[in-house]
């Protein structure tokens, strides 16, 4: 039940014939302030050369983890503000020069506070140049906002292989009105808010083909597409990272762990003991992905491969993983069920180190992804080397509001 | 002396008879932008379904500490930005769904940057559900904003016993238009922006009774209440925290010190040496409080008790404390004097460990709590075990502006 | 090529004679929302007692460093978001009470997140009092915004001698409409967002004389001044810092390194080994500077001296440095070339420790300093004690947008 919108002064003056229909159009062309769900409040300068949107997104989450084998850790019951983002974005000096500043205040004590900080110049829709920090274009699910997921959060496969944020420059564009898109970027290569100290940099490239027209990354077919939508993507990321091996503790550390795949839950982070020399490691990752939506049903899958080669030791670490998920809106645009299977093999040359997650989700989209409640249940099957494998159960409930 | 408010276009058109009185009311019903002191600038969408206020609060403080016994430390002369808060709050999708994001930029290098991050759904005034991070409802003075204090800051008793911020879910409401209020919350239990790794959680409950009607926490009777106002409250907080004892250094550390009472100035933080085993500690705290205001006079008091029980060692730490304060406006709503006595016994089973503070304050409320200058003088009497007790003098001066 | 600004309702009603010229002036006197490049969006309350501007500034930088002698480090190729500032400023309760909150989100993991947090009261233009954290008034180039530089960043001499930000109180004013300015401040003395634990404080004083009228710090003569502008300045800063000497490692550490000159690139930070006792160090720094602009040409120079005296050891560290730079707009207000020489001797009693930088810059001011692209090349000549001196080449390219 919505509140009837009050008449504006312009409405009243038009009705009374004080101003003409043409006057009305002229004076209401520029709205100094308006609100669009998901974007926040938007302010526009009278000359329409400047625009600023200010908004935020909150995720409150409860997680209960029921461990199969309660060793030293034990079950956990967590309440957390999972994400508390704030953004300022818009255009400045020209509608073709856009900017985005986004922080996540949950990361107050770390270099991960700042997420996006870039400017983008659109020469044509087909030729755009972005400079600054933003998501490295690798991985469909990673590129889809954490706020537009079908589950409470991304899959473990996406988490294990994605690079994360980095600063650099990206050439990108939409070809033939979104029939295809391309992104080619050059990055520092040390990850989010970390500045490189060597002359090794990273490159990333991604293309998508969308035979039925442009398709947003947002998961779930909340708009109940009358015609099918399909997107197929492929991406590549290459970087070189310095590793330092400490013989005394037989441990290897990377120059940075702010690239997600190099962190504690990433394939490279987990497999670092492969490298028993202080050396530079060449990292190559590939990915293929596809998504489809039709009549309230949606499906998405991604296959990801990573390989790391020590320049001195000649040691090689090879990893791969994938996920596939599907959802269906039981009540169009409002209630959706979804299933997902995610698989990660962080070291293909090591046995009994797989992790596979089977997940079911139920989502209540009160205002699409802008205001929603989501719950999911995960059976997380982990192989533990020579020990018995475990099946942990994870129960999550999350509320999200975009304001 | 105020500036005369300029006529608006609506005013002029009504005066000229171009629009009617009814038209005037209709078109001025929704104010896209307005300002209210203490709230910041407020933006409202035309359909009145979305509202955002953006504001900040700055405290600049000078503190001179004259130590009774200058040992290794010595007197100190401090200039500091004590608080620099920024908030975004309002409602979204419905006037019943409110949100608050608040950060304190002074805490830029710590997990304490993010304070409030919640959404609140009001089913009825009597039944509301809040999810996210906010103040744990324990302690009248703690629940009163640091910006609405009668002294430069809260009492040492409030500081020693309050839990602080935490993430969780809270059921709360106002009964009979504020004659009574209740809050019942379930929290992670590890404190501000810290996520629990165990399945121990915390609960908090608070009730107030306000026989003469709802009464804000804000200290001082700046509105010179013609009729008396009274509020009586009681609260309870329970948590379980893991302690780790290190025999080599005879020291005990908690899994978190982001709960204020568990930090360096808290009763549990100070008394941790009671626990000489690595164990879980059950913490129970209680509090009783009351406040009254009438004809420019105000008084407030709080009694707080804490007990911690080691699950393995059976060791027990018992603490209590209280404060009582009173103020009177010499010039109504503008100049106030206040006196306070605060007492903390962090370990009732240990002698000569008391701290008692006697404080006098003078406040100049230029625009109530929104713009004020406050100074206070404290005699801080500390017992030092077998050594002579000391009487330190603390002189503070603070300017606050809410913008 | 600008977009024609659409007519407002007020314009239309005036044209139609519905409202008079006087009405028009009255109702358009207060603009609830407007945009000015470099300031962000500005919101004003109807009674004109409150104003808030919200804006941000982004610097994206690429740096290639070609080392003369590739030892353990090697060349570096860096992409970085160098600065991502956000501010809220304006006035509150009175036009004479202004405030500024500014953060740099690039410093998310450090105490350097918060930069400015102050309120300023103007009794007269000549007598103003500022309280809170802001730049310590020492050094022309330091006081000029990092966003209004003629080169990609400040000179090494400015970096080596400036104190940085601190909290305190400052009396300041403009004499005779900016013919002269003065600033006299008392500061905590521990630097940005660090609170002093001793009773040592810092003082700073600065005066400028501007014989042809007030002159902004902003570098480059982008407005092509028809008449010459000249500003001459002098400043002094005094502080006392506690040093701790550790005999085992023969190393000295200061109580804080958040004062820029005491950090790793500062003269005191570099020369700390002078002090081989745990003692208090008295620090005195002086500076003289001048700037001139005329017909698109601009020049600026600064001479800086620092001396640190150990109270116990009687050891003395003396440093000095200077820079001189000049620029000329090849295309008025749009394309500028600039040259700079910067020299730092961090310890005048030690030979072969000089650093001198010779720099050339080319700037494209698309919208003055608000939107610009800058590139510069630096020959950084470093003496390395008994080893051969090196000439490193540094190539930088930077885009800046203020939104």
């Amino acid at each position: 039940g919505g509140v009837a919108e009050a008449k504006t002064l312009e409405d009243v003056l038009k009705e009374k014939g004080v101003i003409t229909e043409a006057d009305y159009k002229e004076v209401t062309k520029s709205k100094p302030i308006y609100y669009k769900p998901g974007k926040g409040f938007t302010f526009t300068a009278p000359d329409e050369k400047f625009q600023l949107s200010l908004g935020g997104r909150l995720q409150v989450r409860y997680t209960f983890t029921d461990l199969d084998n309660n060793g030293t850790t034990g079950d956990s019951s967590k309440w957390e503000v999972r994400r508390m983002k704030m953004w300022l974005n818009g255009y400045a000096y020209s509608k073709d020069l856009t900017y985005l500043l986004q922080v996540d205040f949950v990361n107050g004590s770390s270099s991960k506070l700042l997420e996006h900080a870039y400017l983008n110049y659109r020469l044509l829709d087909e030729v755009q140049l972005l400079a600054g920090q933003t998501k490295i274009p690798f991985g469909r699910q990673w590129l889809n906002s954490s706020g537009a997921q079908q589950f409470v959060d991304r899959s473990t496969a996406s988490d294990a292989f994605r690079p994360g944020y980095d600063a650099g420059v990206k050439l990108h564009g939409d070809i033939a009105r979104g029939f295809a898109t391309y992104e080619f970027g050059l990055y520092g290569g040390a990850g989010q808010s970390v500045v490189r100290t060597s002359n090794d940099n990273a490159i990333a490239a991604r293309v998508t083909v969308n035979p039925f027209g442009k398709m947003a990354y947002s998961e779930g077919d909340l708009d109940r597409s009358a015609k099918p939508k399909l997107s197929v993507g492929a991406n590549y990321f290459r970087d070189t990272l310095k590793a330092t091996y400490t013989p005394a503790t037989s441990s290897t550390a990377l120059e940075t762990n702010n690239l997600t795949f190099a962190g504690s839950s990433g394939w490279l982070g987990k497999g670092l003991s492969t490298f028993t020399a202080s050396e530079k490691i060449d990292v190559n990752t590939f990915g293929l992905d596809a998504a489809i939506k039709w009549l309230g049903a949606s499906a998405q899958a991604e296959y990801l491969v990573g390989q790391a080669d020590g320049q001195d030791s000649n040691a090689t670490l090879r990893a791969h993983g994938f996920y596939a998920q599907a959802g269906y809106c039981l009540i169009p645009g409002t209630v959706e069920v979804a299933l997902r299977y995610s698989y990660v093999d962080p070291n293909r040359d090591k046995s009994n180190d797989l992790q596979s997650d089977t997940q079911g989700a139920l989502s209540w989209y009160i205002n699409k992804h802008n205001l929603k409640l989501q719950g999911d249940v995960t059976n997380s099957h982990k192989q533990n080397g020579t020990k018995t494998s475990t099946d942990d159960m994870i129960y999550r409930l999350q509320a999200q509001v975009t304001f």
Side-chain angles (χ1 to χ4, degrees), chain A:
Chain A
V3 177
E5 198 162 323
K7 276 183 198 167
T8 64
L9 181 59
E10 289 80 0
D11 293 334
V12 169
L13 294 175
K14 191 183 68 177
E15 279 175 18
K16 289 184 189 291
V18 177
I19 62 171
T20 65
E21 183 70 38
D23 290 334
Y24 181 86
K25 280 190 182 158
E26 170 85 4
V27 302
T28 58
K29 205 170 67 177
S30 168
K31 293 196 196 328
I33 169 168
Y34 73 89
Y35 187 89
K36 192 182 163 193
K39 297 287 288 176
F41 275 87
T42 299
F43 309 103
T44 308
D47 65 3
E48 297 197 0
K49 278 192 187 171
F50 297 90
Q51 190 170 85
L52 168 73
S53 295
L54 171 66
R57 180 161 59 83
L58 168 65
Q59 284 184 348
V60 180
R61 186 185 295 181
Y62 175 74
T63 307
F64 186 82
T65 305
D66 184 359
L67 292 186
D68 193 6
N69 179 5
N70 280 314
T72 49
T73 46
D75 297 343
S76 69
S77 168
K78 291 186 199 180
W79 284 97
E80 66 186 311
V81 175
R82 184 60 187 80
R83 290 177 176 96
M84 181 65 261
K85 313 224 177 188
M86 186 189 80
W87 59 79
L88 279 78
N89 70 343
Y91 54 79
Y93 310 95
S94 153
K95 284 182 184 169
D96 293 320
L97 189 70
T98 51
Y99 63 87
L100 171 57
L101 157 61
Q102 185 177 298
V103 291
D104 189 342
F105 283 121
V106 164
N107 299 322
S109 58
S110 84
S111 58
K112 297 192 173 176
L113 176 63
L114 183 65
E115 295 185 335
H116 298 276
Y118 67 74
L119 70 169
N120 185 73
Y121 184 69
R122 179 179 60 189
L123 187 64
L124 302 166
D125 282 346
E126 290 80 2
V127 183
Q128 306 189 38
L129 192 69
L130 180 153
Q133 179 165 292
T134 189
K135 291 179 174 182
I136 294 174
F138 182 88
R140 176 174 294 274
Q141 197 158 53
W142 161 237
L143 291 168
N144 179 23
S145 166
S146 63
Q149 303 282 324
Q150 227 161 7
F151 288 74
V152 168
D153 216 324
R154 297 187 179 93
S155 64
T156 43
S158 173
D159 286 351
F161 286 88
R162 72 165 186 256
Y165 296 90
D166 205 356
V169 67
K170 183 174 83 167
L171 186 74
H172 65 114
D174 283 7
I175 309 293
R177 295 181 185 171
F179 173 81
T181 68
Y182 74 93
E183 302 172 79
F184 178 78
L186 184 58
Y187 299 91
Q192 192 173 356
S193 302
V194 178
V195 182
R196 208 62 189 264
T197 55
S198 71
N199 63 2
D200 297 305
N201 292 130
I203 58 166
R206 174 168 173 82
V207 292
T208 70
V209 176
N210 313 288
F212 307 121
K214 189 158 187 173
M215 180 174 164
Y217 280 123
S218 180
E219 294 182 2
D221 189 23
L222 305 188
D223 294 325
R224 198 174 164 79
S225 313
K227 296 183 179 175
K229 288 179 178 172
L230 173 66
S231 180
V232 177
N235 35 234
Y236 171 63
F237 174 76
R238 176 183 173 75
D239 198 1
T240 297
L241 293 166
K242 179 96 176 62
T244 304
Y245 177 69
T246 308
T249 55
S250 298
S251 65
T252 306
L254 284 175
E255 60 178 300
T256 180
N257 59 8
N258 257 14
L259 289 155
T260 311
F261 66 79
S264 58
S265 61
W267 66 271
L268 181 57
K270 286 182 177 177
L272 264 187
S273 61
T274 303
F275 304 95
T276 56
S278 290
E279 61 184 333
K280 285 191 174 178
I281 298 175
D282 292 319
V283 178
N284 287 278
T285 54
F286 306 84
L288 287 172
D289 58 81
I292 188 165
K293 294 186 184 185
W294 197 21
L295 298 172
S298 57
Q300 177 171 326
E302 208 162 338
Y303 177 68
L304 299 147
V305 183
Q307 180 165 330
D309 296 283
Q311 290 186 357
D312 298 341
S313 66
N314 287 321
T316 292
L317 173 68
R318 299 182 313 129
H320 69 160
F322 72 90
Y323 72 87
Q325 67 188 52
Y328 182 71
C329 287
L330 299 177
I331 301 175
T334 305
V335 175
E336 186 195 40
V337 289
L339 279 172
R340 177 160 69 194
Y341 180 77
S342 173
Y343 168 100
V344 176
D345 183 353
N347 189 343
R348 295 169 74 175
D349 300 314
K350 188 174 161 187
S351 51
N352 295 317
D353 66 339
L354 307 181
Q355 177 178 347
S356 61
D357 295 289
T358 312
Q359 296 178 290
L362 183 66
S363 298
W364 178 25
Y365 300 104
I366 302 163
N367 185 305
K368 301 195 178 167
H369 286 295
N370 302 315
L371 179 64
K372 63 179 178 180
L373 277 173
Q374 296 183 289
D376 64 13
V377 178
T378 305
N379 180 319
S380 182
H381 179 80
K382 285 177 195 149
Q383 294 186 337
N384 296 301
T386 55
K387 293 182 209 154
T388 318
S389 60
T390 50
D391 283 90
D392 302 331
M393 295 299 295
I394 302 164
Y395 305 87
R396 303 189 290 191
L397 186 63
Q398 183 167 282
Q400 173 170 295
V401 60
T402 308
F403 56 81

